C-alpha cells in the first residue's frame, strides 16, 4: 500500500489548486502532505527527514508565489518531496527513485516547476541569481526568484560566492535559509555557531518583530523612510548581536529568524517580502524529520532510513542466516582506524559525510585526528594537502561525483606539488537510486590524465585494505587514489593481515585461452561469475584483475598482448578516456594488434535505479561479459 492522499491534498494537482484554498485550510494541507510523505516513503524508501522538515515552508512558498512563473530553486533535492507532490507528481510519487520512475531530486526535464537540477549542494543562490539577472535583462519586473538552501549547504564556498555577487547585482532574489543544524550529519563550523547566536539571542528576537512592523509601514513615512528604517534595523541587529550581521554586510536584507513550522506566519512574511525589492534573506528555523518523532530524535539515522513500519518505527533490514560481506565504506572506516593505530601520521578528512563514508568510526575512536570540514570539497582537498606538507598522511574521503567539485585542487594543490594525499573515492561507479548526480562515472578518466597521480581500484574488501595499507607506506609516493563502489563487497572473511600491493602491478585471476578479460575494481567479480558459467559452455577466457589504471602493469600487458588477440575490458566507469581506453593506448603505443571490446558506462548520463539494473542497462554485468566473450570468439569484432 502506497498511501492515499487526504481530503484536501487529493484536490491539489498543481499549486494553482492550492492557491484557491482559503488560508485557514493550510494547516490541514500541511498535515495531509506530511502524512502522505510518511506513507509513501515508509513502503518505497527514499530520503525522509529533510522533506518532513520543510512541509510548511513548501506549502507557504507555493501558496504565496506564482510558481512556476516565479522561479523556485531547491538546494538540495532531499528537501523537495513535498514540492514534487504539489506540482503534478502525486500520482507517480510512489515511483520516486525507482528504475524508470521519477527522480529523487528536482529535474528540469521532469517538470517546469523544477527550475534547476539539484543533486549536489550549494548551487541554488547562483542559479536563482542567474535567473533573476536574466529576468531583469528581459524586462520581467513581476517575476520572483527564490532559493531555498539549508544551513549545511550554506557552508560551501559556492554559496558565499553567490551571496557576494548577489549583493551588488541588486536583483530580485529571495534566499530562504532553512536552518535545522543538519545536512546529513550534524553541521559543523563557525557559520553554524553564528546562526546559533542569532537564533538564541533573546534580546534580538524580542525586538525584531517591532522592526518588522516598522518595515511594513514604510510607505507612510515618505521617500526617505526606507533608508531611515533600514539604518534603525541594522543598528538594532548589530547592537543586540554584538557583531555586524553577516548577511547585511553582503548587502542582503536579513529577516528572521522565523518559525519554519508556522505556515500562517510564513505566508504573512513571504507576502511582505514579495513586495520588498532587491536581495533578501529569510532565516527559517525548522526541525529535520518534523512530525515523525523518531526522525526528530535521530536525524542522521532517518535521513534515508529505507523501508520501515510507520507505526512502530521499525526499520526493515534484510535478514540472512549466514554472515554477509560488509559494505566497502565500512571496510574503509575500520581499516583507517587500524592503520592509524600503527601510523601516528595518518589523519582522516571528509566534507560533511562522516556517516556516508564511515569516517565516523575514526571520529569516534580518534576525534582529534578525524575532520569533518563541512560541505566543502575544495577546502577538504587543499586542507589535506596542507597537512601533507608537514609530513602527515591524510586520507581524504570524498564521493566520486563530489570529487568533481575539487578537481583543480587535486591538480594544483596535490598532484603538481607531489603531495602525499590519499583520495578514497566512495560511490565509484553507478551509485543506484540517487541517479546521475551521484553516479561516480568519471573519476578513472579524470584522474588518470593527471601527472604524478596513482589511480587504483580494489576488486574486493581485502584489496581495499591492502591498497590503503600500501598508500600510507613511506616509500609510496603520492597523490594516490583508491575508488570503490557503493554497497557490499564479496568477502565475509575480509580482515586479513595487510600485504603491500606493488604500485602498478595487477594479478592473474585465472588462466585461459583465446580471450583475455581485463577488469578494474569491483566488476572483476562479475567476470569471475561469467568465467565460471562460460566454462560450462566450452569457453575458457583468462581473467586479469589490473588493480591500477595508472600506472598500468605494462609487464603484465606485454604478456597479455603477446598471448591473446582478443581482449575484453570491463569497468564501472565511463568508456571515454577510462580504463579500456588506457589499455587501447598501450596497445597502440607498443604496436600490438588485437581486437578490444570495451565494456563500461557509455557516453551519456545514466538515470537512477538499482545498481544491478543499471549495470545491466550499461552492458557490463556478468551476462554482458559472457555475451562479449561469445561474440569476440565467434566474430573477432572490434568495439
Amino acid at each position: 500500500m502506497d498511501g492515499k492522499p487526504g481530503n484536501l491534498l487529493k484536490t491539489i494537482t498543481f499549486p494553482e489548486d492550492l492557491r484557491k484554498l482559503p488560508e485557514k485550510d493550510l494547516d490541514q494541507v500541511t498535515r495531509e502532505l506530511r502524512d502522505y510523505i510518511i506513507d509513501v516513503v515508509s513502503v518505497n524508501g527514499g530520503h525522509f527527514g529533510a522533506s518532513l522538515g520543510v512541509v510548511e515552508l513548501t506549502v507557504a512558498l507555493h501558496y504565496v508565489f506564482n510558481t512556476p512563473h516565479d522561479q523556485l530553486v531547491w538546494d538540495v533535492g532531499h528537501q523537495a518531496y513535498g514540492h514534487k507532490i504539489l506540482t503534478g507528481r502525486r500520482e507517480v510519487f510512489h515511483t520516486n527513485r525507482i528504475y524508470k520512475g521519477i527522480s529523487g531530486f528536482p529535474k528540469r526535464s521532469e517538470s517546469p516547476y523544477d527550475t534547476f537540477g539539484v543533486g549536489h549542494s550549494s548551487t541554488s543562490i547562483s542559479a536563482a541569481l542567474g535567473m533573476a539577472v536574466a529576468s531583469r535583462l528581459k524586462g520581467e519586473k513581476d517575476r520572483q526568484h527564490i532559493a531555498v538552501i539549508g544551513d549545511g549547504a550554506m557552508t560551501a564556498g559556492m554559496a558565499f560566492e553567490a551571496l557576494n555577487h548577489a549583493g551588488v547585482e541588486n536583483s530580485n532574489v529571495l534566499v530562504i535559509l532553512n536552518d535545522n543544524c543538519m545536512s546529513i550529519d550534524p553541521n559543523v563550523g563557525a557559520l553554524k555557531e553564528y546562526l546559533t547566536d542569532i537564533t538564541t539571542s533573546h534580546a534580538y528576537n524580542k525586538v525584531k518583530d517591532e522592526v518588522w512592523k516598522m518595515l511594513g509601514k514604510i510607505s507612510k513615512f515618505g521617500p526617505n523612510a526606507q533608508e531611515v528604517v533600514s539604518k534603525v534595523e541594522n543598528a538594532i541587529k548589530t547592537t543586540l548581536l554584538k557583531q555586524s550581521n553577516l548577511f547585511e554586510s553582503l548587502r542582503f536584507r536579513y529577516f528572521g529568524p522565523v518559525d519554519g513550522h508556522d505556515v500562517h506566519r510564513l505566508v504573512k512574511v513571504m507576502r511582505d517580502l514579495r513586495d520588498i525589492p532587491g536581495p533578501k534573506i529569510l532565516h527559517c528555523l525548522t526541525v529535520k524529520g518534523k512530525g515523525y518523532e523518531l526522525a526528530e530524535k535521530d536525524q542522521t539515522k532517518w535521513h534515508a532510513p529505507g523501508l520501515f513500519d510507520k507505526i512502530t518505527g521499525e526499520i526493515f533490514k534484510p535478514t540472512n542466516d549466514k554472515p554477509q560481506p560488509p559494505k566497502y565504506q565500512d571496510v574503509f572506516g575500520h581499516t583507517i582506524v587500524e592503520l592509524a593505530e600503527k601510523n601516528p601520521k595518518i589523519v582522516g578528512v571528509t566534507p560533511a559525510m562522516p556517516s556516508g563514508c564511515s569516517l565516523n568510526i575514526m571520529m569516534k575512536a580518534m576525534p582529534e585526528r578525524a575532520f569533518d570540514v563541512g560541505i566543502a570539497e575544495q577546502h577538504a582537498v587543499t586542507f589535506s594537502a596542507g597537512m601533507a606538507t608537514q609530513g602527515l598522511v591524510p586520507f581524504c574521503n570524498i564521493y566520486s561525483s563530489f570529487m568533481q567539485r575539487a578537481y583543480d585542487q587535486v591538480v594544483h594543490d596535490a598532484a603538481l606539488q607531489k603531495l602525499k594525499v590519499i583520495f578514497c573515492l566512495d560511490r565509484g561507479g553507478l551509485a543506484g537510486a540517487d541517479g546521475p548526480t551521484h553516479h561516480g562515472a568519471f573519476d578513472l578518466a579524470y584522474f588518470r590524465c593527471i601527472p604524478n597521480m596513482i589511480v587504483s581500484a580494489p576488486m574486493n574488501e581485502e584489496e581495499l585494505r591492502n591498497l590503503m595499507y600500501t598508500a600510507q607506506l613511506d616509500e609510496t609516493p603520492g597523490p594516490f587514489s583508491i575508488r570503490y563502489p557503493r554497497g557490499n563487497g564479496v568477502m565475509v572473511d575480509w580482515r586479513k593481515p595487510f600485504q603491500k600491493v606493488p604500485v602498478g602491478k595487477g594479478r592473474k585471476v585465472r588462466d585461459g585461452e583465446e580471450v583475455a578479460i581485463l577488469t578494474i575494481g569491483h566488476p572483476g567479480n562479475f567476470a569471475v561469475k561469467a568465467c565460471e558459467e562460460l566454462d560450462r559452455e566450452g569457453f575458457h577466457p583468462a581473467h586479469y584483475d589490473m588493480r591500477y589504471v595508472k600506472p598500468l602493469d605494462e609487464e603484465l600487458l606485454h604478456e597479455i598482448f603477446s598471448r591473446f588477440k582478443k581482449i575484453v575490458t570491463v569497468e564501472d566507469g565511463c568508456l571515454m578516456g577510462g580504463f579500456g581506453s588506457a589499455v587501447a593506448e598501450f596497445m597502440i603505443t607498443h604496436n600490438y594488434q588485437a581486437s578490444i571490446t570495451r565494456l563500461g558506462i557509455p557516453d551519456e548520463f545514466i538515470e537512477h535505479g538499482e545498481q544491478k539494473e543499471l549495470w545491466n542497462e550499461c552492458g557490463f554485468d556478468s551476462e554482458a561479459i559472457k555475451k562479449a566473450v561469445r561474440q569476440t570468439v565467434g566474430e573477432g569484432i572490434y568495439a
Side-chain angles (χ1 to χ4, degrees):
M1 177 180 176
D2 293 328
K4 294 181 179 180
N7 291 332
L8 285 181
L9 186 60
K10 68 183 180 184
T11 69
I12 302 170
T13 302
F14 293 103
E16 62 192 46
D17 303 315
L18 173 67
R19 292 191 280 268
K20 293 175 184 176
L21 297 175
E23 187 181 326
K24 66 180 177 62
D25 286 346
L26 295 187
D27 288 313
Q28 183 177 340
V29 172
T30 60
R31 285 194 300 270
E32 292 181 6
L33 180 57
R34 182 171 275 112
D35 288 344
Y36 191 70
I37 292 172
I38 293 170
D39 287 346
V40 176
V41 175
S42 66
V43 297
N44 290 294
H47 294 103
F48 187 61
S51 285
L52 291 186
V54 294
V55 165
E56 290 81 9
L57 186 57
T58 303
V59 170
L61 282 165
H62 284 296
Y63 192 72
V64 172
F65 293 100
N66 183 28
T67 53
H69 177 73
D70 290 338
Q71 305 272 279
L72 176 60
V73 184
W74 292 93
D75 190 342
V76 291
H78 300 150
Q79 307 177 79
Y81 285 9
H83 161 81
K84 291 206 169 201
I85 293 166
L86 294 176
T87 55
R89 287 164 281 185
R90 188 186 71 243
E91 293 297 321
V92 294
F93 185 60
H94 64 281
T95 71
N96 182 51
R97 291 166 51 88
I98 294 173
Y99 190 58
K100 304 297 184 182
I102 64 171
S103 171
F105 300 101
K107 189 173 183 178
R108 281 175 54 82
S109 61
E110 192 176 285
S111 169
Y113 292 89
D114 293 357
T115 60
F116 203 76
V118 281
H120 295 189
S121 82
S122 315
T123 61
S124 61
I125 304 174
S126 297
L129 176 61
M131 295 171 187
V133 169
S135 292
R136 187 185 71 207
L137 294 175
K138 293 192 294 182
E140 297 171 341
K141 297 182 180 180
D142 65 332
R143 206 167 198 183
Q144 304 288 328
H145 311 86
I146 308 102
V148 183
I149 182 169
D151 54 321
M154 189 68 91
T155 64
M158 187 174 177
F160 285 96
E161 292 167 16
L163 287 170
N164 186 53
H165 183 194
V168 299
E169 280 296 339
N170 198 33
S171 292
N172 195 19
V173 175
L174 170 61
V175 176
I176 296 180
L177 174 58
N178 171 29
D179 183 358
N180 61 19
C181 290
M182 291 288 291
S183 47
I184 294 175
D185 292 280
N187 288 328
V188 297
L191 178 64
K192 184 199 110 172
E193 303 300 330
Y194 175 77
L195 294 176
T196 300
D197 287 344
I198 291 178
T199 60
T200 56
S201 171
H202 295 296
Y204 173 55
N205 282 283
K206 184 176 179 180
V207 300
K208 70 181 176 64
D209 286 334
E210 295 303 317
V211 175
W212 192 278
K213 290 176 184 177
M214 292 176 66
L215 286 170
K217 298 174 182 176
I218 283 176
S219 60
K220 300 178 182 179
F221 292 117
N224 297 321
Q226 185 170 357
E227 181 180 353
V228 172
V229 174
S230 179
K231 288 181 178 178
V232 172
E233 179 194 20
N234 287 339
I236 291 171
K237 289 173 180 175
T238 300
T239 301
L240 294 177
L241 291 174
K242 295 183 174 60
Q243 57 189 313
S244 175
N245 184 287
L246 169 66
F247 304 108
E248 298 282 355
S249 69
L250 292 169
R251 299 186 183 181
F252 268 73
R253 297 287 301 282
Y254 172 87
F255 301 94
V258 298
D259 181 356
H261 298 300
D262 183 342
V263 68
H264 299 288
R265 176 67 169 155
L266 289 171
V267 166
K268 181 182 185 306
V269 170
M270 288 180 190
R271 281 175 172 159
D272 290 342
L273 293 180
R274 189 176 57 187
D275 299 327
I276 297 175
K280 306 166 288 290
I281 187 159
L282 175 61
H283 185 180
C284 296
L285 304 182
T286 64
V287 176
K288 188 172 182 178
K290 179 70 173 179
Y292 194 78
E293 185 177 1
L294 292 173
E296 292 183 33
K297 290 180 177 178
D298 192 341
Q299 297 176 345
T300 298
K301 179 179 180 180
W302 288 88
H303 172 72
L307 308 186
F308 62 95
D309 185 317
K310 69 176 185 178
I311 305 299
T312 66
E314 178 188 0
I315 297 174
F316 302 128
K317 298 292 185 183
T319 56
N320 295 281
D321 296 333
K322 299 179 180 178
Q324 296 297 303
K327 292 180 179 180
Y328 277 99
Q329 70 178 66
D330 291 338
V331 174
F332 162 82
H334 290 293
T335 301
I336 191 172
V337 171
E338 195 174 336
L339 291 170
E341 288 172 344
K342 300 175 181 178
N343 183 347
K345 295 184 291 184
I346 289 176
V347 290
V349 178
T350 180
M353 297 301 293
S355 62
C357 76
S358 295
L359 191 68
N360 56 353
I361 299 172
M362 185 181 189
M363 294 175 76
K364 182 178 180 180
M366 306 174 177
E368 73 286 355
R369 292 168 61 187
F371 304 91
D372 177 0
V373 302
I375 302 176
E377 293 85 1
Q378 294 171 310
H379 167 61
V381 171
T382 305
F383 172 62
S384 298
M387 288 192 286
T389 67
Q390 302 305 303
L392 297 184
V393 180
F395 279 76
C396 183
N397 191 309
I398 302 180
Y399 285 11
S400 168
S401 61
F402 298 167
M403 179 59 83
Q404 295 159 192
R405 314 185 86 182
Y407 190 67
D408 179 64
Q409 285 68 30
V410 173
V411 176
H412 182 272
D413 300 336
L416 180 61
Q417 304 184 88
K418 298 182 181 179
L419 292 175
K420 186 168 180 162
V421 179
I422 301 165
F423 297 108
C424 292
L425 305 190
D426 200 336
R427 271 58 168 181
L430 296 171
D434 282 332
T437 59
H438 285 59
H439 294 326
F442 309 113
D443 58 274
L444 294 178
Y446 68 57
F447 269 179
R448 65 173 283 258
C449 63
I450 301 174
N452 301 327
M453 282 290 295
I454 297 171
V455 184
S456 70
M459 182 171 151
N460 54 43
E461 300 93 317
E462 184 180 8
E463 283 195 354
L464 172 56
R465 281 171 56 77
N466 288 337
L467 285 169
M468 291 175 66
Y469 169 74
T470 301
Q472 57 88 46
L473 293 174
D474 288 340
E475 65 265 27
T476 304
F480 193 120
S481 75
I482 308 169
R483 67 102 73 162
Y484 47 91
R486 171 182 173 271
N488 297 78
V490 295
M491 300 178 68
V492 173
D493 184 19
W494 56 274
R495 286 183 182 267
K496 307 277 181 131
F498 289 118
Q499 294 184 10
K500 181 179 177 181
V501 181
V503 173
K505 290 297 179 183
R507 67 185 179 109
K508 182 191 295 182
V509 178
R510 57 170 274 166
D511 205 350
E513 56 191 37
E514 284 201 82
V515 182
I517 303 172
L518 279 58
T519 63
I520 187 73
H522 184 77
N525 299 291
F526 309 161
V528 169
K529 180 181 178 184
C531 288
E532 291 172 351
E533 295 174 0
L534 285 167
D535 279 340
R536 295 192 288 271
E537 298 179 25
F539 298 96
H540 305 290
H543 176 205
Y544 296 85
D545 167 27
M546 297 303 293
R547 290 176 169 161
Y548 292 92
V549 175
K550 182 178 183 178
L552 286 168
D553 187 341
E554 296 202 355
E555 181 180 357
L556 189 58
L557 286 175
H558 280 298
E559 174 190 324
I560 292 167
F561 278 98
S562 297
R563 290 187 54 205
F564 298 94
K565 300 303 178 186
K566 297 169 183 177
I567 309 292
V568 175
T569 65
V570 187
E571 59 194 300
D572 190 358
C574 63
L575 289 171
M576 297 283 283
F579 166 64
S581 294
V583 174
E585 291 165 14
F586 173 88
M587 179 185 74
I588 294 168
T589 299
H590 295 281
N591 296 311
Y592 287 110
Q593 290 188 344
S595 70
I596 299 181
T597 300
R598 295 178 302 130
L599 306 182
I601 300 175
D603 186 25
E604 60 189 74
F605 289 107
I606 307 302
E607 298 299 334
H608 59 279
E610 294 297 321
Q611 285 173 295
K612 290 182 179 180
E613 294 170 324
L614 303 181
W615 295 333
N616 176 263
E617 178 184 313
C618 291
F620 61 87
D621 62 359
S622 59
E623 289 299 317
I625 295 171
K626 288 193 293 182
K627 181 179 179 181
V629 169
R630 295 189 201 103
Q631 290 181 337
T632 301
V633 171
E635 304 168 20
I637 62 168
Y638 289 78

